[in-house]
Amino acid sequence: MTTASVPAGDRSVLERSPAARLPDRALRYGLTGLAALILALIAFFFVRLVGESQPALSRFGVFGFALHNDWNVSLDHFGALPLLVGTLVTSFLALIIGVPVAVATALFITELCPRRIRTPVTILIELLAAVPSVVYGLWGIFFLAPKLLPAEKWVAAKLSFLPYVGGGTVTVPNQFVTGLVLAIMILPIVSAISREVMATVPADQKEAALSLGATRWEMIRIAVLPYCRSGIVGGAMLGLGRAIGETIAVTILIGDSPVLGHQLFGQGYTLAAVIANEFGEASGLHRSALFAAGLVLFVLTLVVNGIARYFVLRAARGTRVAPDKAGPDADAGAAAAVGA
Amino acid sequence: MNPSRNLVALSATALLSVALAACGSSSSTSSTSGGTTVNGAGSTFAAPVYQQWGSQVSGVTVNYQAVGSGAGITALETKTANFGASDPPLKPADETAIAKNGSPAVEIPMFLGAITASYNVPGVKTGLKLDGMTLADIFLGKVKTWSDPEIKALNPGLTLPSTPITTIHRSDSSGTTAGFTGFLAAVDPEFKTKVGSGKDVNWPGGTGAKGNAGVAGAVAQTSGSIGYVEQAYALQHGFTYASVKNKAGNFVAPSLASATAAAEGVVVPANLGFAISNPSGAQAYPITSQTFIVVNKDLCKAGASAAVAKGVVAFITYGLSGGQSVLSQADYAALPATILAKAKTASTGLVCNGATVSAA
Amino acid sequence: MTPLPADVLAAFAPSAARRRRDRAARGVIAGLTVLALIPLVLLVYYLLRKGLGSWSGSFFTTDPTGATFFKNVSIGGIKSAILGTIEMVALASAIAIPIGVGVAVWLVEYGRAGAFANVVRFFVDVLTGVPSIVFGLFIYITLVITGLVGRGLAGYKGSLALALLMLPVVIRSSEVILLLVPNSLREAALALGAPRWKVISRIVIPTALPGMITGVLLAVARASGETAPLLFTVGGANKTTLGLGAQVNALPLQIYNDIISPTTAVINRAWGAALTLVVMILVLNLIARLTSRRSRVA
């Protein structure tokens, strides 16, 4: 069929007048401006943060500040090592406890549970994310921490030969409880991402394993888990990022003691908690040190989230299948999981 | 029109209207039935009283932020608050910084509070006596158990268990810490050099808790513990607290009367910035803290509107008159008469652009 | 077709050991799932048990008095906290939603896979990961202590911090939904001669609307529960103020301040306030879920 082209003279009938093109132009430039606004905002944000941290960082040096073990407000010594260690300890604790459980829930929902209870269980897990941080802190400090105290004391006594876990004073707000509550808080996001990735495992892979005589668990082990590794790692890193930045629940539960070397069941401090606690009080060098702590926190979450997105995108790219299941869907799915 | 569009339109309108209402009625002195709004910030120790006074002063809505003495001074310096509240008196650096706002700083003492050494020792319900040196040694970690001879020497009549001592201190910056460490540093040179005194010190060992309430809670939960807690909080928890030996050699229990007695005879400088440190009165409780309200002398020159200035003065005036009588309801102690008179004089000296502010 | 003889089939059946491992593994997975749900059950139970007791008519209609120590004075309810949260979140939404949806529309319709768009996407990701307290710090150093908009703590400054928090979530979720609108719809409209802006406003956005509303409501729910951005920006008023130009109260702030009180009555109020907050968020989540059911694309 020959394509008929519109005669030149008639083409002008279809063209839009310059005035009619104006709203389009306005919309385009307006929205582009908005997008540029986001960039400007973050750049400004970063610059201000660095500016405010300058006094402390120039006094102690960047590495001196981050790695020196001495947070002493009255003497104006600010080394953030105890805070950094506390942040990493509680976050990794949250990972160790939370990720296996989250992956298990994802496996349960996608592979093992009867279709009827799939949605209710999913909704229940999502509900964990709906609870605000301050309510977790409230529940943790008044219910969970006191309830766990006898068990913690028993463990500390029984394992007193272990250097970090045993011995030492067991306090009600402590690093372990903080890590536990953080694990509960990151559970929904790690579970959601794991579920997303598990749902994209090609059915033929699973069926092939089953048809070769694998049991359900073997099928999971052979076909599902290796396929989802990237995605699960990405989800775990996102959870880590969330745990690192968590402020309010941690402030309430960790006991706020900037001394390095406490036991697992003793008090600690994190970067976010120190800002929440001391900022209202701070002035001069102290305040600048807190901004520097905020900067360290910001950079840390940036790095962790960057790694997370790398893994999740890698998983998403791996799931791009036949052309009819076009790229944007898979990306959208992964992006939805990532943006959730 | 399909229902989801309706829903969207409705919710959008609702959101917008609330937002517009919020924006539209905003102003820096907005108010409801309370007239002017006055913002204060500072001491957590004084917070319960200021909150209560605020609700009693008519025609003024007082928003008080219990962020700690240091933050209160900073808030006044940066003009984010109309008045600051601090337990320790102003340092010269603070005075200069506040004066930068256009008018010199005025600190007005408001009331007193005893800082108790509250303990939780099995078998010892009342009557524990301690002195400054022993307290310092306990918090330095030199005295480790309750049956230590140093404690026994002061309490011959008590059976003390050999439970290990857990010291509880404040993890956040606080005027209460300043008061307690001020006393210990005054009586024990070793404490002064090893730990020092101030709102935030590095304690050698012990457990930290947040706020007076946090320390109170920790003492209640830890057997064998001792912590320093504002008297009001100690009484709220039904604590046992020690009688402390004062300079005159008497063991005095913290009470409203002994706290007021501590301020009698203290040297009050011209700017009223006194600090009770190891008072010499016979019945004085040695660990007593004072608390001030800090404002600029000329409130309006420093940026407050006339209405706000009036509100601040009304608040302070109420506090120094009717407010003193409700202090005992919350277990705080009133100023002795001489200091109260000086405080009242200072409050009448507050001006707005040169003109005296009437509290009416 | 004849079935295989039983003994041949038996040769393919998993051994007892494998079957045991299979059962054990499934048991562990199911067990861990139950373990994951236990905190939720405990939390809800405890919230209801301690929070319901505080709920009463006066709880919702009186402001907190701040007189937490005085023996014969009531401590009041949480009216100003509820109203403050609603106002602040409404203002934050009014700021974050138009900007967020606008940027998402730009990313999908104009930027697409271009270099600038990828840079914007990267920065939105950066924003997603920022801890909420850092937003509060940012607003503090730019708006609270400088003379830019008037010094001091104010409700609208807290709203701005919350808006910063909501922005990346709104952008992300809107972008995802907008991408799911079939291109055929756009092309059909364009082929019929509709200008770009009409395609966007009349075709794309209405199609994506239910999904976007879901995303927005989830962002709103998250903002309602945040405490950290409000710590240094909003102050803590007791009385209800209808304008956001002064210090306001907020539910998460009220709970946070009440937690450290020694008075049992105040702690009970904290539980009641926590229950109220959780109920508000759950309602938002429910509406979000119901709206997503109506979605025509996802």
Side-chain angles (χ1 to χ4, degrees), chain A residues 25-338:
Chain A
R25 279 243 177 84
L27 188 66
R28 184 194 193 114
Y29 293 134
L31 291 183
T32 315
L34 266 186
L37 178 72
I38 304 287
L39 262 70
L41 202 65
I42 307 212
F44 181 46
F45 187 23
F46 199 69
V47 164
R48 276 314 293 250
L49 200 57
V50 172
E52 291 289 330
S53 329
Q54 218 19 58
L57 288 178
S58 57
R59 173 91 110 92
F60 303 108
V62 176
F63 285 111
F65 175 77
L67 301 175
H68 199 56
N69 174 17
D70 185 18
W71 189 268
N72 190 331
V73 179
S74 54
L75 295 176
D76 261 357
H77 287 169
F78 295 109
L81 189 65
L83 310 173
L84 204 55
V85 168
T87 309
L88 293 174
V89 162
T90 47
S91 308
F92 276 108
L93 206 58
L95 273 191
I96 295 172
I97 302 177
V99 170
V101 179
V103 171
T105 59
L107 278 176
F108 182 77
I109 292 172
T110 50
E111 302 294 335
L112 295 180
C113 87
R115 195 158 286 254
R116 265 180 312 144
I117 67 171
R118 195 168 284 185
T119 320
V121 175
T122 312
I123 293 183
L124 285 178
I125 299 282
E126 303 280 287
L127 275 186
L128 281 173
V131 178
S133 178
V134 69
V135 176
Y136 272 119
L138 176 69
W139 175 74
I141 195 71
F142 284 124
F143 169 74
L144 193 64
K147 276 261 150 55
L148 287 180
L149 193 63
E152 289 169 354
K153 283 199 167 129
W154 183 86
V155 171
K158 285 283 173 220
L159 296 179
S160 52
F161 53 88
L162 281 179
Y164 181 66
V165 177
T169 336
V170 178
T171 51
V172 170
N174 61 47
Q175 297 177 31
F176 176 70
V177 165
T178 311
L180 187 59
V181 171
L182 279 178
I184 301 174
M185 291 171 84
I186 68 171
L187 207 125
I189 188 169
V190 181
S191 178
I193 295 186
S194 305
R195 256 182 288 132
E196 287 283 342
V197 201
M198 284 174 195
T200 59
V201 175
D204 48 1
Q205 295 253 16
K206 297 195 277 191
E207 287 162 8
L210 285 172
S211 64
L212 285 174
T215 60
R216 207 83 228 192
W217 166 240
E218 283 163 357
M219 179 269 285
I220 291 175
R221 205 163 37 98
I222 295 169
V224 176
L225 285 180
Y227 194 87
C228 300
R229 222 191 341 239
S230 283
I232 293 179
V233 171
M237 298 297 290
L238 273 183
L240 179 66
R242 170 92 201 268
I244 288 178
E246 183 48 59
T247 314
I248 293 296
V250 172
T251 314
I252 297 174
L253 290 170
I254 202 169
D256 306 333
S257 161
V259 176
L260 200 56
H262 270 295
Q263 311 299 94
L264 181 65
F265 299 117
Q267 298 169 314
Y269 224 166
T270 68
L271 290 166
V274 76
I275 300 174
N277 243 351
E278 294 185 4
F279 193 77
E281 286 284 325
S283 56
L285 192 64
H286 188 189
R287 170 168 288 187
S288 172
L290 289 174
F291 275 113
L295 187 61
V296 173
L297 189 62
F298 185 35
V299 170
L300 203 58
T301 46
L302 216 68
V303 168
V304 170
N305 275 307
I307 300 177
R309 273 160 222 279
Y310 165 71
F311 275 106
V312 174
L313 279 178
R314 208 173 87 172
R317 244 175 269 135
T319 68
R320 201 174 300 193
V321 229
D324 51 304
K325 273 194 179 186
D329 285 344
D331 275 336
V338 150

Side-chain angles (χ1 to χ4, degrees), chain C:
Chain C
M1 187 168 136
T2 52
L4 288 168
D7 53 342
V8 178
L9 275 175
F12 282 109
S15 68
R18 281 170 58 203
R19 260 183 286 137
R20 247 182 290 127
R21 263 194 296 255
D22 177 57
R23 260 197 301 267
R26 282 154 72 170
V28 166
I29 293 178
L32 285 179
T33 310
V34 169
L35 191 68
L37 293 177
I38 290 181
L40 183 67
V41 171
L42 286 175
L43 188 65
V44 169
Y45 168 67
Y46 223 62
L47 258 182
L48 284 173
R49 198 180 104 184
K50 304 224 69 172
L52 275 180
S54 311
W55 277 14
S56 66
S58 64
F59 187 67
F60 294 107
T61 52
T62 49
D63 290 331
T65 58
T68 54
F69 261 35
F70 286 71
K71 296 186 176 76
N72 3 351
V73 182
S74 114
I75 58 171
I78 56 170
K79 180 172 107 179
S80 61
I82 299 178
L83 287 177
T85 293
I86 295 178
E87 283 177 10
M88 276 199 291
V89 172
L91 181 59
S93 309
I95 300 173
I97 295 175
I99 299 182
V101 171
V103 175
V105 166
W106 180 84
L107 278 174
V108 170
E109 301 291 328
Y110 295 101
R112 272 172 259 135
F116 183 54
N118 281 333
V119 171
V120 173
R121 279 197 194 93
F122 171 71
F123 275 102
V124 171
D125 278 353
V126 166
L127 262 187
T128 323
V130 173
S132 51
I133 194 163
V134 180
F135 286 128
L137 280 187
F138 178 55
I139 296 290
Y140 183 80
I141 58 184
T142 47
L143 291 181
V144 174
I145 53 178
T146 61
L148 220 65
V149 283
R151 288 199 201 163
L153 306 163
Y156 72 89
K157 296 180 185 171
S159 286
L160 283 174
L162 289 179
L164 281 177
L165 195 92
M166 290 171 67
L167 202 58
V169 182
V170 173
I171 295 178
R172 250 9 199 107
S173 58
S174 303
E175 187 194 0
V176 165
I177 299 292
L178 286 169
L179 278 173
L180 288 175
V181 173
N183 262 332
S184 47
L185 278 183
R186 294 189 183 88
E187 288 164 4
L190 286 169
L192 287 172
R196 205 65 188 281
W197 64 271
K198 254 200 189 144
V199 173
I200 294 175
S201 63
R202 295 284 173 83
I203 309 283
V204 176
I205 291 192
T207 313
L209 204 51
M212 285 206 294
I213 291 184
T214 310
V216 160
L217 283 177
L218 290 177
V220 171
R222 172 144 176 233
S224 318
E226 284 288 339
T227 323
L230 303 178
L231 283 178
F232 322 120
T233 48
V234 160
N238 280 327
K239 291 226 179 87
T240 308
T241 40
L242 285 179
L244 286 177
Q247 293 186 13
V248 290
N249 203 357
L251 267 177
L253 271 185
Q254 182 71 44
I255 300 172
Y256 186 62
N257 288 327
D258 281 350
I259 286 181
I260 55 172
S261 168
T263 323
T264 324
V266 175
I267 296 184
N268 287 340
R269 180 174 69 188
W271 282 107
L275 184 60
T276 315
L277 185 59
V278 170
V279 165
M280 277 169 66
I281 293 180
L282 282 182
V283 165
L284 280 171
N285 271 312
L286 188 67
I287 302 179
R289 225 169 262 284
L290 288 175
T291 328
S292 81
R293 289 233 193 107
R294 294 161 154 282
S295 176
R296 284 173 264 174
V297 287

Side-chain angles (χ1 to χ4, degrees), chain A residues 11-21 24, chain C residues 190 193-197:
Chain A
R11 215 172 280 159
S12 57
V13 172
L14 294 173
E15 259 177 19
R16 240 170 274 141
S17 69
R21 263 182 269 153
D24 261 348
Chain C
L190 286 169
R196 205 65 188 281
W197 64 271

